[in-house]
Amino acid sequence: NLPKQNDFFTGRQVLLEKLKEKFNKVPNNTVVLYGSPGIGKSAIAYKYAEGLGNDYTVIIRIRFNAEITIYSDLRGIATKLSLDDMNELNTKEMAERIYSEIEKRHKKCFLIVENPEFYKNKIRQDNQETLLSYFPRNTKKKAKWKILVTTTDKTVWGNTPIIDVPKMSVEEAIELFKTIRGSEFVDSTQEKCLPDFLKQVDYLPIIILQTAS
C-alpha cells in the first residue's frame, strides 16, 4: 500500500546507504529515521523500500498521523488480503490479524511505520508497550519482519538504531527544484536567485515541491 513512485526523488544517497548498513547488522530488525517535519523522512523510507526489489515479498505501511489513517491503512491492507472478518476488531486487533495472515503467506516482510509520535502521550519509556503492540513481533525463531520508523521524536526508542535526517544540502535542494520544475524552465535569473530562495525555505523538500510544481 505504498504511494506511487516519486519521480522527483533526488540526492539522499548517503542516507539510503546508512539504512542498508543498519538493516544488514544483525539483529537490527527495526531502524528509526528521525528529523523535523517536512524534511523528507517518508520519501526516503519509500525510496529505500523501492530498492528492496525481490528481497521482500511484501511491503506495507501504517500511518500513525491520526486514528483515521491507522484504520484506513489497516482496512486497505485487509482488503488486499481478502480478510472479511475485521468489522468487530479494534485497530490493534486488526493489526495483529493482518500480521498473522501476512506471516502465513510470506517469509520476508517489510513494514514502514510513519509518525508514531501521534501516540506520544502513551509511549513514554514506562508505557512503550502501547505503541509496540501495533508492531509485528520478531523472535529468535521467527524474525520475518524488518521495520522502518519515521518520526520527529527519538526519545522513546531505547537502543533502536536511529539515523538523523539532516537538511538537504544546497546542491541537493537545487537539483530537486530543477528536477521538479524541469531544467529547461529555470532561466539564468532564477538560477542566480535559487540558493537564496532555498535558504529562505530552509531547504525543506515539502516546500520545494510545492513551490517548484
Side-chain angles (χ1 to χ4, degrees), residues 18-213:
K18 282 185 178 180
L19 278 172
K20 183 178 180 180
E21 177 186 340
K22 294 291 186 185
F23 274 120
N24 284 342
K25 285 186 177 179
V26 179
N28 285 350
N29 292 315
T30 301
V31 177
V32 175
L33 276 179
Y34 164 77
S36 57
I39 207 165
K41 300 181 297 297
S42 293
I44 295 168
Y46 299 154
K47 190 66 176 180
Y48 181 78
E50 288 171 9
L52 293 175
N54 296 323
D55 290 343
Y56 292 83
T57 51
V58 63
I59 302 173
I60 62 174
R61 69 163 178 175
I62 302 176
R63 295 168 296 167
F64 277 72
N65 307 64
E67 190 73 31
I68 186 64
T69 58
I70 300 173
Y71 181 82
S72 173
D73 285 344
L74 290 175
R75 289 294 302 186
I77 298 167
T79 298
K80 289 188 176 183
L81 292 171
S82 300
L83 298 179
D84 301 323
D85 54 346
M86 310 290 281
N87 292 334
E88 303 301 322
L89 305 183
N90 60 36
T91 50
K92 178 182 174 182
E93 292 168 339
M94 288 173 63
E96 291 173 347
R97 176 77 175 87
I98 286 169
Y99 299 148
S100 176
E101 187 63 30
I102 287 176
E103 288 167 7
K104 292 176 184 176
R105 305 185 191 185
H106 301 275
K107 293 183 177 180
K108 295 184 69 177
C109 317
F110 196 89
L111 168 65
I112 296 174
V113 177
E114 294 186 51
N115 305 316
E117 59 271 17
F118 171 71
Y119 282 93
K120 63 183 178 181
N121 293 325
K122 303 179 182 178
I123 58 173
R124 297 307 174 201
Q125 283 301 115
D126 59 348
N127 194 25
Q128 200 174 21
E129 181 66 22
T130 304
L131 173 63
L132 296 184
S133 64
Y134 282 88
F135 289 17
R137 299 301 181 95
N138 282 313
T139 65
K140 289 183 179 180
K141 293 183 178 180
K142 188 195 72 171
K144 289 191 171 186
W145 291 90
K146 296 288 187 179
I147 304 169
L148 176 54
V149 180
T150 69
T151 183
T152 60
D153 183 357
K154 63 178 177 180
T155 62
V156 298
W157 297 103
N159 295 324
T160 303
I162 297 175
I163 298 175
D164 289 342
V165 180
K167 296 177 183 177
M168 295 189 103
S169 67
V170 177
E171 293 76 18
E172 286 179 324
I174 290 174
E175 182 183 0
L176 176 60
F177 186 95
K178 288 182 176 180
T179 300
I180 298 169
R181 176 64 66 89
S183 297
E184 66 274 19
F185 297 111
V186 180
D187 59 32
S188 57
T189 302
Q190 291 175 323
E191 180 103 38
K192 186 176 181 180
C193 296
L194 260 182
D196 286 338
F197 165 73
L198 294 170
K199 183 178 180 180
Q200 289 177 16
V201 300
D202 210 21
Y203 308 108
L204 288 176
I206 191 170
I207 299 180
I208 297 172
L209 177 62
Q210 293 169 351
T211 55
S213 297

